[in-house]
Amino acid sequence: MPLEEVLTVIPAFHPLWAKADPDLIAVCDQEAAHGNFRAWAKFTHHLATGLRGTGRTRVDEELLRWAYSKLSTRQPV
């Protein structure tokens, strides 16, 4: 998906993205998902696990870094 589509689709996809800053979504797309919906689903799963484990209610940079570490690669396909 192009970034413009990502910024529309991803906040509707999962509640943890619903109130996320669009700049944060753009960074996640560039660093981890690369416009790939399957990658977004996997990354969102890791973030949801991290949110539950830490008791946080919103995604932040520290949680993003943790979720990035769970991915096997951050290179575009």
Side-chain angles (χ1 to χ4, degrees):
M1 292 181 282
L3 181 58
E4 297 77 29
E5 190 173 350
V6 166
L7 294 173
T8 301
V9 170
I10 296 307
F13 159 63
H14 196 281
L16 76 84
W17 297 114
K19 294 182 181 176
D21 183 330
D23 290 337
L24 183 71
I25 294 171
V27 166
C28 291
D29 192 57
Q30 180 182 7
E31 299 251 333
H34 315 292
N36 181 293
F37 193 78
R38 182 175 282 183
W40 271 106
K42 183 176 183 178
F43 192 61
T44 300
H45 171 75
H46 289 307
L47 286 171
T49 299
L51 285 170
R52 281 191 304 275
T54 62
R56 295 177 188 184
T57 58
R58 295 188 83 136
V59 175
D60 59 27
E61 274 191 57
E62 185 178 359
L63 191 61
L64 286 179
R65 280 188 246 116
W66 175 83
Y68 288 154
S69 77
K70 303 300 177 198
L71 301 175
S72 59
T73 181
R74 289 181 15 208
Q75 299 299 316
V77 178

